[in-house]
Amino acid sequence: MKQIQIFDTTLRDGEQVPGCKLDRDQKLRLAERLEELGVDVIEAGFPISSPGDFAAVQEIGKLVKNATVCGLSRAVKEDIKVAGEALASAKRPRIHTGLGTSDSHIFDKLRTTREKVIERAVGAVRYAKTFVEDVEFYAEDAGRTENAYLAQVIQAVVDAGATVLNIPDTTGYCLPEEFGAKIKYLTEHVVGIDKCTISVHCHNDLGLATANSIAGVQNGATQIECTMNGIGERAGNCSLEEVAMILKHRLGDQFSTGINSRLLNPISREVSMEMGMSVQANKAIVGDNAFAHSSGIHQDGVIKARDTYEIIDPREVGVDKSLIVLTARSGRAALAYRFKELGINLTKRELDAAYKIFLEVADSKKSVEDEDLKVIWKGMAVAVA
Ligand code: KIV
Ligand code: ZN
């Protein structure tokens, strides 16, 4: 059984999303909850970016007891120094430093050469090591970096003392097979990589962040970088709740994590509330509809046996129960079930009569609520009298 480290970057990659900015107290509250959730690493912020973020990283470093606290920096001396200062009181500090390695980053953004990028990478890691022992190097846009050159960069930073090697698919470009092969290639071509943690940091531009992260661990990565609700730059990052449940439910015989899955739903809601960023209703694991059933065919199945249409028990992720939502597509079984929840056990004749009225009501609105059911029941009682 391989233990997969969960590196949460909700407070850094997630927080840099327009509209999601958190103040220091909000960051502290969420850091505490992320630690309770069981993440191994909390990326608390980008200390040089603002005095507020510096203070947040510093305070989180003091507050967090078990998780590693990480601060981001570019491969720039001043960034690294400020990150080192912000993390000075953390119990388990980590500096996360790096730069772009794809041709697009090297030639268009950084306007430099491949050789100079390696020199800068090595210099950044060596300098970060003067502040902390635990240094994570990111090869930005590794997803679009040619494997042979990526292996050269990674070899150089391993030799310089990097402890964690982050292979980001920054633009969400890779297909799962391709990304898995990239991780495997590195494990086979970098000497000493087995002494380091290989990390994957996948973005969701093509909706493949979760699939790519899983392909990464299936090919040798032992850390996944992710965010609650999948928030992050553009289409977001890999979702913490998704990888945690995939590893637990589908790959539990090979991998484990420290995540307490019962806290996934409550913490998803807290993140959404603090950031003012709603979660799409059909979001896997934490969306409002993740355990809701509305069509008659599905409702009939779930009422008879929950697992006909649910692969996860909602309580396992902190949701009280599955929902039977009444709409014009619902059947008699669902209507009887919802009346029963209100303490009303309908006979077959009563159910037939109620269903007729229900369909009229349901056709006129999006969903039929308990209040509507009470009115239907009252109307039936009056008709009988
Ligand atoms: O997406 C990315 O490449 C990043 C790095 C800074 C790790 O967020
Ligand atoms: Zn990112």
Side-chain angles (χ1 to χ4, degrees), residues 2 176-177 179-181 183-184 187 198 214-221 255:
K2 224 182 203 180
E177 234 178 82
F179 191 68
I183 300 299
K184 190 160 188 278
T187 63
I198 304 177
I214 295 297
V217 298
Q218 287 178 316
N219 284 280
F255 305 108

Side-chain angles (χ1 to χ4, degrees), residues 12-13 16 72 96 138 140-141 166 168 170 201 203 225:
R12 198 278 296 170
D13 217 326
Q16 67 197 45
L72 184 75
H96 190 189
Y138 64 85
E140 197 179 358
D141 205 14
N166 181 9
T170 305
H201 176 115
H203 278 267
E225 308 201 359

Side-chain angles (χ1 to χ4, degrees), residues 61-72:
K62 289 181 195 157
L63 177 80
V64 165
K65 293 179 196 73
N66 302 311
T68 293
V69 176
C70 180
L72 184 75

Side-chain angles (χ1 to χ4, degrees), residues 204-346:
N204 206 30
D205 300 67
L206 289 173
L208 290 171
T210 297
N212 283 339
S213 304
I214 295 297
V217 298
Q218 287 178 316
N219 284 280
T222 50
Q223 177 177 281
I224 298 179
E225 308 201 359
C226 47
T227 60
M228 281 308 304
N229 305 334
I231 54 156
E233 283 282 349
R234 306 180 309 282
N237 285 63
C238 170
S239 288
L240 187 155
E241 60 277 10
E242 292 175 14
V243 285
M245 292 314 288
I246 291 168
L247 293 178
K248 182 171 184 199
H249 255 265
R250 298 303 319 280
L251 300 170
D253 54 337
Q254 299 164 58
F255 305 108
S256 61
T257 72
I259 297 298
N260 174 358
S261 65
R262 286 179 192 271
L263 292 177
L264 287 172
N265 216 268
I267 294 181
S268 154
R269 281 165 198 272
E270 285 166 42
V271 168
S272 163
M273 206 190 65
E274 298 279 12
M275 290 192 161
M277 178 71 126
S278 55
V279 175
Q280 73 193 57
N282 59 327
K283 170 80 186 58
I285 318 293
V286 294
D288 281 349
N289 292 348
F291 299 97
H293 308 272
S294 64
S295 87
I297 297 172
H298 287 214
Q299 291 172 330
D300 183 43
V302 169
I303 290 167
K304 287 175 179 149
R306 191 193 54 73
D307 62 5
T308 359
Y309 287 99
E310 280 182 0
I311 57 164
I312 296 170
D313 184 334
R315 286 166 302 187
E316 213 184 309
V317 294
V319 175
D320 292 343
K321 58 178 181 148
S322 317
L323 285 182
I324 297 294
V325 182
L326 292 177
T327 73
R329 307 291 156 258
S330 300
R332 282 176 172 72
L335 185 62
Y337 175 89
R338 285 284 298 273
F339 266 116
K340 203 170 164 195
E341 280 196 324
L342 291 175
I344 302 166
N345 285 304
L346 299 178

